[in-house]
Amino acid sequence: MLNLGYCKGSMSTASSGGVSDQFPVGLRVLVVDDDPTCLVILEKMLRICLYEVTKCNRAEIALSLLRENRNGYDIVISDVHMPDMDGFKLLELIGLEMDLPVIMMSADDGKNVVMKGVTHGACDYLIKPIRIEALKNIWQHVVRKKKNERKDMEQSGSVEEGGDRQQKQSEDADYSSSANEGSWKNSKRRKDEEEEVDERDDTSTLKKPRVVWSVELHQQFVAAVNQLGIDKAVPKKILELMNVPGLTRENVASHLQKYRLYLRRLSGVSQHQSGMGNSFISTQEATYGSLSSLNGLDLQTLAAASQIPAQSLATLQAAGLGRSTAKPRMPMPIVDQRNLFSFENPKLRFGEGQQQHLNNGKQINLLHGIPTTMEPKQLANMHHSAQSLGSMNMQLNAHGDQSGSLLMQMSQQQSRGQILNEATSSQVPRLPSSIGQPIVNNALASGVLARNGLAESGRGTGFNPVSQSSSTMNFPLNTTAELTATSFALGSAPGVPSLTSKGMFPEEISSEIKGPGGFIMPSYDIFSDLQHHRSHDWELQNAGMTFNGSQQSNSLQSNVDVASSVLAHQGFSSSQSNGQGRNISAVGKPMFSAGDATDHVNAQSLGQPLNNFFAENLVRVKTERVPDASLQTTLFNEQFGQEDLMSALLKQQQQQQQAGIGPAENEFDFDGYSLDNIPV
Amino acid sequence: MDRKQLQYQVACMRKSLFDQGYLDEQFNQLEDLQDEANPNFVEEVVTLFYSDSARFIHNIEQAMINKPNIDYGKLDDYMHQFKGSSSSFGAKKVKKECSQFRECCSAGNIEGCIKTFRQLKLEHATLKRKLETYFQLVKQAGIAERR
């Protein structure tokens, strides 16, 4: 008995014809395994189960397939041990980017490995050799996931089922945070349209918000606010104007608060206000290791504005400074709003935040002439990290089908960050390249800005080939199973060559893909790098945290300085297409999800220690489950669900994208976005 | 040989392969997958395996021979893959040798590794021969059927 709800606006299967009626017949399965024998057998088994099968022998190819056609698959089955990418990484990425159910399989049946599958979010784990009976019921995972998402949507008050992507994302977020919705809402109501930061004490335990402020959503929001007039914009009216199903007044209210903060910061109305707006960023900067004094100031303002949990702020500071200079008392109230905001777009935030944070930190230091305790190198590192993170974010955003604007934003940020880095530290030599190449940011693959430029072009080209390759790859892959054993010659030449050649084909393709720009590779590399950096010290982590929290930093940047806006604009103008961004996203994602290879990411994006730093933090954030309320604290201190982080980051990116929608306002938007995070 | 005799031979050989432990239940699974669209599916899979496994064996040998510092981790990885591959079509003895090899690997027992690997190659080649014969017989029986 199949739940026909499955076909009702189901996210991924709606597009496939015939699925709804005969489910699970026609279930679209993507199988990833580097072992050709297993791949062929699985494909055959799945076909017998009447599923629609796509074979893939490389994780990267699988990812590109999934990215190209987000709604083209219902479920993914992947091997654990693969040469080009760890199966668990792929699992995380898929969970973050496409949110598809993923089944892991391996000849390894050790408890640890199975546990790893569980913790990484696999919906099932199959031991090889796989029997067809095990595959017959995999459709249950698809149904279950949809059911859970629908439930979340309903819980969030949305009437729509299987709505748009945003809804889905919201649901995903909601899924984990639905329990907290009530308390969060209450606290939000109190703060609604209030511009006081001090009240942000609650919801420190809030989980990820359910609403994901994607670029489009934010654009709608901004449009509505502008239409009403910023002074007259009240959540209720904004909600009506936006007319987004599933969005609640509370969502809008909190977002509005952040937005107001951002605007205030931009206008530089008052130091305090801007401080508040930037507080988050400042704080992050502080954590960076900017100045202890600055830290204190930043932290306070940041805390106030962003409601950063004292704990997290302290952590950030300590992290940033690489020392435990955490202020004993964090006056700032818990920034649940900010956290929420972050969570809403955690993805965006992380990337952005990091970048911004870094950038901001730098900028602030530079601009205000505040003595920075942080060594330039450290700052540079941070920036780099931020940048890489930013690029990651951008990628994430891009990945999330965000417009290129986000990318641009990211680029901008990165550019800014980069510029700042350069300014602040002699390390960053790439200022010009960064400016001219927003993509660079996005291109994590390119450690050096110059490289970025290269990556840009490479990406552009790389991307296309990839897609092409993937499509072509599919073909051979799919047809491989058809190989007719013309001549049975187990070891004989005639039969074998044909097989091998076929088998080779996909590999070649992947190399092709990599060739042009290593498009896919970069992401993968970053991913692995992240992992490497995982073991970085706490400092980095903290720094990362600040980054995360540093959506504000973006805003801070804008406040800080014109140069950054210039950079931002430059970045903006030179921002790359979404395609690129997409790549980045992919890359960023891995970074995020991997939460490990920070190094790699850093190295790739900027090749700067800062990036590493940033990436590491970013990674950490990702790996840890960050409760909404204390994004920062939890990020580093606790184990965050990678999925949460990833989604947070992605959301952040989305937000950023949204913010960056307006060209002229690139900086503004971008920054503003981060500001939004800071509850006023 | 008439069809019935051929079929009988095929059945006998198949049974002995199982009885002697060369093949396990997974082979049955594959045979069940065969249908009109893919009448030679199992044969195709086995062919694919043997073309791929040559690469494995080569890699493992390279990693083991004339190497002062053996990278056991890498060896283990290779062997893990090889094990997964061979178990996917029911190569029981080969799979067993793989497990054995991995044990030696984790113990850092290079002598054991070399010895086991030799045994593994032997089993690998033996199975190949036997399956070649088997599939040829199957084909003959199938052709006989069509007559």
Side-chain angles (χ1 to χ4, degrees):
Chain A
M1 168 304 291
L2 288 189
N3 176 14
L4 293 178
Y6 170 81
C7 34
K8 231 187 335 177
S10 65
M11 318 172 302
S12 55
T13 57
S15 52
S16 74
V19 175
S20 52
D21 295 337
Q22 305 169 311
F23 184 81
V25 171
L27 192 74
R28 294 160 307 167
V29 185
L30 177 67
V31 180
V32 190
D33 194 338
D34 64 307
D35 181 355
T37 312
C38 291
L39 206 55
V40 159
I41 293 173
L42 279 169
E43 188 196 21
K44 183 74 179 140
M45 285 181 172
L46 290 165
R47 288 246 162 90
I48 287 192
C49 295
L50 299 178
Y51 297 148
E52 216 179 273
V53 186
T54 306
K55 290 204 309 272
C56 200
N57 71 342
R58 287 267 187 271
E60 287 171 0
I61 295 171
L63 271 177
S64 68
L65 283 176
L66 289 166
R67 284 179 185 140
E68 279 169 31
N69 187 2
R70 268 168 189 265
N71 293 331
Y73 303 97
D74 299 312
I75 189 165
V76 179
I77 303 180
S78 170
D79 188 43
V80 167
H81 287 90
M82 290 189 288
D84 62 334
M85 188 190 291
D86 181 29
F88 293 116
K89 268 190 205 156
L90 180 66
L91 162 64
E92 288 172 14
L93 282 174
I94 294 175
L96 280 166
E97 289 186 31
M98 300 107 197
D99 192 35
L100 287 173
V102 181
I103 295 177
M104 301 305 293
M105 54 179 181
S106 175
D108 202 345
D109 61 350
K111 181 182 149 205
N112 292 338
V113 185
V114 179
M115 179 64 80
K116 220 174 157 193
V118 172
T119 55
H120 284 66
C123 62
D124 204 351
Y125 191 103
L126 304 176
I127 310 288
K128 284 183 176 179
I130 297 190
R131 301 172 61 90
I132 194 170
E133 291 81 22
L135 296 175
K136 283 206 168 115
N137 284 332
I138 60 173
W139 57 265
Q140 61 174 296
H141 303 294
V142 179
V143 175
R144 191 178 295 120
K145 203 170 182 76
K146 291 211 166 87
K147 182 167 165 282
N148 287 334
E149 282 168 359
R150 197 167 295 122
K151 202 196 298 178
D152 284 340
M153 279 179 74
E154 287 166 5
Q155 281 181 0
S156 65
S158 158
V159 193
E160 291 230 332
E161 287 188 346
D164 56 37
R165 211 174 125 86
Q166 269 181 5
Q167 288 293 345
K168 245 174 82 160
Q169 287 172 344
S170 305
E171 288 181 354
D172 293 341
D174 289 341
Y175 188 59
S176 54
S177 63
S178 55
N180 297 320
E181 173 66 7
S183 62
W184 184 73
K185 272 189 176 176
N186 292 335
S187 55
K188 284 198 58 94
R189 246 177 236 122
R190 267 191 294 117
K191 296 183 196 134
D192 224 10
E193 298 183 60
E194 284 178 357
E195 299 187 337
E196 315 216 58
V197 205
D198 302 334
E199 287 197 6
R200 316 249 178 233
D201 284 320
D202 53 19
T203 66
S204 51
T205 55
L206 261 185
K207 291 218 184 131
K208 261 189 328 183
R210 285 181 295 172
V211 175
V212 175
W213 283 92
S214 66
V215 176
E216 293 89 18
L217 196 60
H218 183 73
Q219 275 177 344
Q220 277 178 282
F221 170 82
V222 173
V225 167
N226 292 336
Q227 197 175 326
L228 293 167
I230 185 64
D231 294 332
K232 294 209 179 89
V234 293
K236 187 156 186 276
K237 292 217 180 97
I238 297 173
L239 186 67
E240 282 167 14
L241 273 176
M242 283 176 73
N243 195 22
V244 171
L247 197 63
T248 67
R249 199 192 69 90
E250 288 75 18
N251 299 141
V252 174
S254 70
H255 195 78
L256 178 67
Q257 260 176 345
K258 295 176 189 169
Y259 186 67
R260 285 228 176 95
L261 270 172
Y262 166 76
L263 292 178
R264 267 210 301 238
R265 181 177 63 76
L266 284 178
S267 66
V269 171
S270 68
Q271 176 133 37
H272 174 69
Q273 281 182 343
S274 49
M276 281 184 30
N278 302 325
S279 59
F280 187 75
I281 301 175
S282 315
T283 307
Q284 293 183 340
E285 288 180 334
T287 46
Y288 248 110
S290 46
L291 323 161
S292 23
S293 58
L294 183 59
N295 286 339
L297 171 67
D298 290 337
L299 284 175
Q300 287 188 1
T301 44
L302 190 59
S306 59
Q307 299 179 349
I308 297 177
Q311 210 179 359
S312 50
L313 276 174
T315 307
L316 286 173
Q317 277 185 336
L321 295 170
R323 49 178 176 243
S324 43
T325 51
K327 299 255 161 161
R329 94 180 141 92
M330 299 299 261
M332 330 177 253
I334 300 294
V335 182
D336 44 296
Q337 258 210 353
R338 191 187 60 72
N339 289 332
L340 283 175
F341 190 73
S342 304
F343 280 109
E344 285 175 347
N345 302 289
K347 295 172 190 153
L348 282 176
R349 253 205 274 248
F350 287 144
E352 263 195 350
Q354 289 178 349
Q355 267 191 347
Q356 289 176 341
H357 185 70
L358 285 172
N359 294 334
N360 287 332
K362 277 213 171 172
Q363 287 177 346
I364 292 185
N365 293 329
L366 291 174
L367 294 175
H368 301 311
I370 299 175
T372 18
T373 50
M374 216 161 99
E375 296 80 36
K377 190 175 178 191
Q378 215 174 357
L379 272 178
N381 290 341
M382 287 196 181
H383 272 276
H384 289 304
S385 310
Q387 288 177 353
S388 50
L389 281 175
S391 54
M392 291 204 294
N393 289 331
M394 291 180 68
Q395 291 180 343
L396 285 179
N397 290 327
H399 185 66
D401 295 333
Q402 296 297 340
S403 64
S405 59
L406 180 60
L407 279 177
M408 298 208 281
Q409 281 181 342
M410 307 272 309
S411 310
Q412 288 174 4
Q413 281 186 342
Q414 282 188 348
S415 308
R416 276 188 283 193
Q418 286 174 346
I419 294 178
L420 284 175
N421 289 331
E422 293 182 9
T424 49
S425 71
S426 49
Q427 296 180 349
V428 184
R430 328 197 163 130
L431 185 62
S433 50
S434 56
I435 294 181
Q437 313 202 337
I439 296 190
V440 173
N441 296 328
N442 292 330
L444 287 174
S446 52
V448 181
L449 289 184
R451 264 210 323 176
N452 288 339
L454 200 63
E456 262 185 35
S457 48
R459 248 206 298 227
T461 52
F463 183 73
N464 294 332
V466 174
S467 357
Q468 294 164 2
S469 306
S470 350
S471 47
T472 42
M473 279 201 42
N474 281 335
F475 183 75
L477 285 173
N478 290 331
T479 54
T480 314
E482 308 304 345
L483 33 93
T484 43
T486 47
S487 54
F488 172 76
L490 280 178
S492 65
V496 174
S498 56
L499 286 175
T500 34
S501 59
K502 278 203 176 170
M504 285 296 291
F505 188 67
E507 291 174 30
E508 289 165 359
I509 294 190
S510 34
S511 49
E512 275 179 51
I513 294 179
K514 294 178 186 179
F519 187 156
I520 297 195
M521 280 313 285
S523 48
Y524 179 66
D525 290 342
I526 292 181
F527 195 70
S528 52
D529 281 352
L530 281 174
Q531 288 182 341
H532 292 318
H533 284 263
R534 212 192 207 200
S535 50
H536 266 317
D537 52 8
W538 172 253
E539 269 187 57
L540 285 177
Q541 256 191 356
N542 291 335
M545 278 186 57
T546 43
F547 286 138
N548 293 327
S550 63
Q551 277 206 345
Q552 302 170 357
S553 59
N554 284 327
S555 48
L556 184 59
Q557 278 186 347
S558 55
N559 287 335
V560 184
D561 149 338
V562 180
S564 46
S565 46
V566 170
L567 288 176
H569 283 289
Q570 287 180 341
F572 182 76
S573 48
S574 50
S575 63
Q576 308 249 338
S577 61
N578 288 338
Q580 285 188 339
R582 260 180 59 175
N583 293 332
I584 299 182
S585 307
V587 177
K589 256 199 167 142
M591 280 182 33
F592 286 112
S593 55
D596 294 329
T598 42
D599 279 346
H600 194 83
V601 179
N602 293 327
Q604 286 198 339
S605 52
L606 301 175
Q608 311 235 351
L610 195 58
N611 290 331
N612 293 333
F613 179 84
F614 196 67
E616 208 174 78
N617 292 324
L618 192 56
V619 173
R620 290 190 196 222
V621 174
K622 282 192 183 207
T623 51
E624 300 175 334
R625 205 151 263 271
V626 184
D628 285 23
S630 50
L631 176 61
Q632 286 160 348
T633 9
T634 45
L635 264 167
F636 292 96
N637 298 331
E638 300 166 19
Q639 273 306 315
F640 294 114
Q642 285 170 346
E643 293 167 6
D644 284 346
L645 284 178
M646 278 303 293
S647 52
L649 282 166
L650 286 172
K651 286 178 187 171
Q652 263 191 359
Q653 286 190 348
Q654 287 176 348
Q655 280 182 341
Q656 288 183 348
Q657 276 187 357
Q658 287 177 343
I661 297 289
E665 314 276 15
N666 287 335
E667 188 179 305
F668 179 88
D669 290 341
F670 190 70
D671 290 339
Y673 192 72
S674 53
L675 258 190
D676 282 349
N677 293 333
I678 305 174
V680 181
Chain B
M1 242 184 257
D2 69 354
R3 188 184 61 162
K4 265 199 145 162
Q5 272 183 314
L6 283 171
Q7 283 177 350
Y8 180 73
Q9 275 192 337
V10 167
C12 277
M13 189 175 181
R14 187 176 171 283
K15 186 168 184 299
S16 86
L17 283 172
F18 275 93
D19 290 344
Q20 291 173 24
Y22 286 103
L23 295 175
D24 63 23
E25 222 281 314
Q26 189 67 13
F27 196 80
N28 282 334
Q29 286 266 314
L30 292 200
E31 282 180 322
D32 289 344
L33 297 177
Q34 284 189 155
D35 52 19
E36 280 171 10
N38 296 103
N40 300 314
F41 179 70
V42 189
E43 191 182 338
E44 290 166 16
V45 169
V46 175
T47 307
L48 184 58
F49 167 76
Y50 274 99
S51 68
D52 200 48
S53 64
R55 185 173 52 91
F56 269 129
I57 290 185
H58 176 78
N59 287 343
I60 293 172
E61 264 173 350
Q62 287 301 306
M64 262 182 21
I65 293 179
N66 300 331
K67 284 252 157 57
N69 300 318
I70 304 237
D71 184 354
Y72 285 109
K74 206 157 135 197
L75 275 183
D76 189 68
D77 267 354
Y78 282 139
M79 200 45 79
H80 175 85
Q81 297 245 280
F82 194 78
K83 181 182 171 189
S85 200
S86 55
S87 70
S88 72
F89 73 97
K92 196 167 169 186
K93 287 197 176 182
V94 176
K95 179 178 165 187
K96 200 167 86 159
E97 295 301 330
C98 289
S99 301
Q100 192 81 18
F101 184 93
R102 289 185 82 199
E103 274 177 32
C104 292
C105 248
S106 56
N109 176 6
I110 186 57
E111 286 302 319
C113 280
I114 293 175
K115 195 165 147 219
T116 309
F117 188 61
R118 216 176 288 144
Q119 188 67 20
L120 185 146
K121 280 197 286 187
L122 194 60
E123 292 293 346
H124 178 260
T126 305
L127 181 64
K128 183 173 171 182
R129 262 192 342 265
K130 287 188 181 276
L131 284 175
E132 267 173 351
T133 308
Y134 174 71
F135 285 124
Q136 270 173 4
L137 209 51
V138 167
K139 275 216 183 75
Q140 281 178 12
I143 293 169
E145 242 171 25
R146 286 192 279 276
R147 283 206 203 108

